[in-house]
């Protein structure tokens, strides 16, 4: 009996995320919800926030082009063939709801900044229909506006594009709602097509609910957390806010940004305490930086691991599975791709190091290039411990420069070099005595 009562009281919850529609205002071929903020698609931000809610089902309503996208692999997917509005998308999503679901949260996939705590507050709402509202500082914003009764409970949501006057209402609609499913199933068939846009609006449910004497409730949230991205301008605003959040977290963990506003940090960057990041640095996808590293100005890193106390840049480019071990320094205009730079190795100026292993203590002279690609295949360069590569050398891969070898400056090296040997591959220098005197004399007679 006691067990039976407990089961009956358990509320089964689901989330529907709306991610279909053209995203026409983005003026981009990429579906709106795949546009990235700090390197993560907007839809993925919303899916990740939803993980913090304890729900029994997650449904994504999406356009046909995203139906089989891997981002949706752990969700129930419903395809909305034509973008007939948020109300139409919601109707389709509800058809996929498991029969035991009592409470439904509706979210939009174009709000990448949403805060899991706000969603938790929504979880505790008691009314039949709860709307998340935000106090707008700028009344020109295009968000729908929430009309409330004297008890501050929502009675309608009006879209500004149909009536400029509603812009005087400062309570904006975040596009996030909680519904009791029983009520929703009763109201949905009554949603009508908007005569101007020819779309069905989920927002019209509020007015319908009030007419049918259902209870409504307002949950107030911070506008920043529900910034709706409909244009590339709003995408850049979301990026700025997310970057600020990400860098604040790193700074609190002991990372020193010289000019934080000038650097880009991907959402997944790991950066150890004591690391200094100078101005205008790009830390892209899959970057792991250990402690006490220096990333000097204007460096660009992606897919790389930088171990303790390394110094990178200024103007360095690391990409494609690069590992930089402890204490090396890599500097001005050095590009490294798919390579390991071992402890205490140096490459300080103007080099391309691709598909190479650079041994401990090796020194790569200015202007050294690894020729790793023949137009069809990539080849490896192995540079042993304590090797000295003279300036302006060309290493044609596949090639092995063994430990302790020297490469004379300006050489083109096409064959392996033995340990501690010197390889020179350049034309012998000639000197012609007093040549310049006779050359100048010839011209002075004219
Ligand atoms: C919507 C709300 C508005 C609110 C704002 C919050 C409506 C009618 N208006 O406006 O009150 O202030 O969100 O950001 O709901 N979508 C579909 N199918 C469609 C249309 C849209 O799945 O047919 C999806 C979109 O991918 C998007 C979400 O629904 O993620 C919201 O649609 P959008 O067109 O961005 O609505 P807004 O104009 O922002
Ligand atoms: Mg929107």
């Amino acid at each position: 009996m006691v067990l039976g009562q407990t089961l009956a009281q358990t509320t089964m919850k689901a989330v529907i995320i709306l991610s279909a529609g053209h995203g026409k205002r983005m003026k981009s071929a990429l579906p709106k919800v795949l546009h990235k903020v700090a390197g993560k698609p907007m839809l993925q931000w919303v899916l990740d926030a939803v993980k913090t809610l304890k729900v029994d089902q997650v449904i994504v309503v999406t356009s046909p082009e995203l139906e089989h996208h891997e981002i949706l692999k752990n969700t129930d997917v419903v395809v909305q063939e034509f973008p007939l509005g948020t109300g139409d998308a919601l109707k389709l999503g509800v058809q996929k709801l498991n029969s035991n679901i009592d409470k439904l949260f509706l979210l939009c996939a174009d709000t990448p900044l949403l805060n899991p705590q706000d969603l938790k507050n929504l979880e505790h709402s008691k009314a039949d229909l709860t709307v998340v509202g935000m106090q707008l500082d700028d009344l020109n914003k295009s968000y729908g506006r929430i009309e409330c009764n004297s008890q501050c409970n929502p009675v309608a949501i009006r879209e500004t594009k149909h009536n400029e006057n509603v812009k005087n209402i400062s309570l904006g609609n975040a596009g996030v709602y909680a519904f009791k499913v029983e009520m929703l199933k009763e109201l949905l068939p009554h949603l009508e097509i908007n005569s101007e846009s020819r779309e069905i609006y989920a927002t019209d449910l509020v007015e319908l609910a009030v007419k049918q004497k259902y209870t409504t409730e307002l949950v107030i949230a911070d506008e920043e957390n529900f910034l709706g991205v409909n244009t590339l301008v709003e995408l850049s605003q979301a990026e700025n806010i997310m970057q600020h959040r990400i860098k604040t977290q790193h700074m609190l963990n002991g990372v020193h940004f010289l000019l934080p506003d000038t650097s880009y940090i991907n959402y997944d960057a790991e950066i150890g305490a004591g690391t200094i990041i100078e101005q205008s640095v790009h830390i892209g996808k899959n970057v792991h930086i250990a402690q006490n590293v220096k990333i000097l100005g204007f460096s660009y890193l992606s897919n790389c691991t930088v171990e303790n106390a390394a110094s990178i840049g200024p103007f360095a480019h690391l990409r494609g599975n690069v590992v930089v071990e402890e204490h090396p320094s890599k500097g001005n205009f050095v590009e490294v791709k798919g390579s390991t730079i071992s402890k205490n190795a140096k490459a300080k100026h103007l080099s391309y190091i691709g598909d190479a292993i650079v041994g401990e203590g090796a020194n790569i002279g200015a202007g050294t290039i690894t020729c790793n690609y023949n137009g069809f295949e990539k080849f490896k360069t192995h540079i042993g411990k304590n090797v000295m590569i003279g300036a302006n050398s060309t290493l044609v891969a596949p090639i092995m420069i063994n430990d302790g070898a020297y490469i004379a400056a300006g050489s083109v090296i096409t064959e392996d070099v033995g340990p501690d040997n010197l390889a020179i591959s350049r034309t012998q220098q000639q000197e012609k005595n007093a040549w310049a005197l006779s050359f100048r004399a010839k011209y002075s007679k004219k």
Side-chain angles (χ1 to χ4, degrees), residues 258-259 262-263 277-283 295-301 312-318 331-334:
L258 212 56
L259 289 173
T262 65
S263 290
I277 299 196
E278 287 195 347
Q279 75 280 13
S280 302
V281 167
H282 177 104
I283 304 287
I295 311 284
L296 306 185
F298 306 98
S299 294
Y300 194 105
L301 282 68
I312 307 291
F315 301 99
H317 185 184
L318 272 56
N332 305 266
F333 305 103
V334 172

Side-chain angles (χ1 to χ4, degrees), residues 31 80 94 113 178 211 219 236 249 261 265 273 288 432 440:
Q80 188 191 25
V94 166
L113 301 172
K211 269 190 196 146
V219 169
S236 75
Q249 197 51 52
D261 288 346
I265 312 294
H288 309 272
K432 297 186 179 176
R440 281 197 290 268

Side-chain angles (χ1 to χ4, degrees), residues 36 71 76 117 119 142 157 160 191 233 332 380 420 441:
K36 290 177 181 170
I71 201 169
D76 286 341
Q117 189 51 47
L119 298 183
S142 62
I157 298 177
T160 55
L191 275 183
V233 176
N332 305 266
K380 289 251 172 224
D420 297 317

Side-chain angles (χ1 to χ4, degrees), residues 80-346:
Q80 188 191 25
E81 293 286 340
F82 304 103
L84 299 175
T86 49
D88 178 71
L90 173 60
K91 277 184 182 184
L92 293 169
V94 166
Q95 287 171 16
K96 188 94 177 180
L97 270 185
N98 293 338
S99 57
N100 57 356
I101 300 291
D102 317 284
K103 190 162 182 178
L104 173 71
F105 304 104
L106 178 63
L107 310 179
C108 297
D110 64 353
T111 54
L113 301 172
L114 56 78
N115 180 346
Q117 189 51 47
D118 289 323
L119 298 183
K120 289 219 166 102
N121 294 342
L122 195 63
E123 239 181 343
H124 299 128
S125 65
K126 295 273 177 292
D128 298 311
L129 193 168
T130 307
V131 181
V132 177
M134 44 200 188
Q135 282 301 340
L136 303 175
D137 293 335
D138 176 0
L139 293 182
N140 280 319
K141 296 260 175 77
S142 62
Y143 296 108
R145 300 298 207 269
I146 305 171
E147 284 179 11
C148 291
N149 60 18
S150 54
Q151 284 90 48
C152 293
N153 294 323
V155 292
I157 298 177
R158 312 258 179 238
E159 294 303 308
T160 55
K161 65 182 161 200
H162 302 307
N163 184 355
E164 277 284 310
N165 290 337
V166 298
K167 281 194 171 169
N168 294 327
I169 301 173
S170 62
L171 192 57
N173 172 26
V176 175
Y177 322 81
F179 301 105
K180 288 201 176 147
V181 171
E182 211 182 339
M183 174 209 69
L184 190 61
K185 286 187 173 165
E186 190 199 317
L187 298 184
L188 278 174
H190 301 289
L191 275 183
E192 286 175 7
I193 296 174
N194 182 284
S195 57
E196 286 176 47
S197 65
R198 308 306 300 161
E199 288 186 10
I200 301 175
Y201 291 164
T203 44
D204 288 346
L205 285 165
V206 177
E207 216 169 353
L208 280 180
V210 173
K211 269 190 196 146
Q212 301 292 328
K213 308 279 184 244
Y214 285 107
T215 55
T216 62
E217 188 180 335
L218 179 70
V219 169
I220 292 286
D222 190 345
E223 182 188 347
E224 182 184 281
N225 296 340
F226 290 94
L227 188 143
V229 174
N230 301 307
T231 64
L232 290 176
V233 176
E234 286 155 349
L235 184 68
S236 75
Q237 288 164 353
E239 183 70 59
N240 269 326
I241 295 167
M242 190 65 85
Q243 284 297 317
H244 181 71
R245 290 181 183 180
I246 289 172
K247 281 175 273 195
T248 301
Q249 197 51 52
H250 284 299
M251 287 189 269
L252 292 172
N253 292 340
V255 178
H256 178 179
F257 284 91
L258 212 56
L259 289 173
D261 288 346
T262 65
S263 290
Y264 168 88
I265 312 294
N266 215 62
Y267 78 94
D268 60 349
E270 289 173 5
I271 311 177
T275 288
I276 297 176
I277 299 196
E278 287 195 347
Q279 75 280 13
S280 302
V281 167
H282 177 104
I283 304 287
K285 205 176 163 199
N286 194 26
V287 172
H288 309 272
I289 298 172
Q291 296 187 345
N292 304 318
V293 169
K294 279 188 187 156
I295 311 284
L296 306 185
F298 306 98
S299 294
Y300 194 105
L301 282 68
S302 60
N303 282 309
C304 65
T305 300
V306 180
E307 294 183 359
N308 285 343
S311 170
I312 307 291
F315 301 99
H317 185 184
L318 272 56
R319 64 185 175 96
N321 293 325
V322 168
V323 177
V324 178
E325 293 181 350
E326 287 176 41
H327 293 293
S329 60
K330 298 201 349 50
N332 305 266
F333 305 103
V334 172
E335 178 180 1
V336 184
K337 187 230 103 185
S339 299
T340 298
I341 312 293
S342 307
K343 270 187 183 180
N344 300 323
K346 293 191 180 75

Side-chain angles (χ1 to χ4, degrees), residues 19-21 30-35 43 60-73 75 77-79 109:
S19 81
L30 185 70
K32 173 166 87 168
V33 298
L34 293 187
H35 278 268
L43 173 56
V60 177
V61 182
T62 197
S63 55
E65 56 196 319
L66 285 189
E67 184 180 4
H68 301 294
H69 197 284
E70 66 152 346
I71 201 169
L72 298 175
K73 64 178 186 285
T75 62
V77 179
V78 179
V79 173

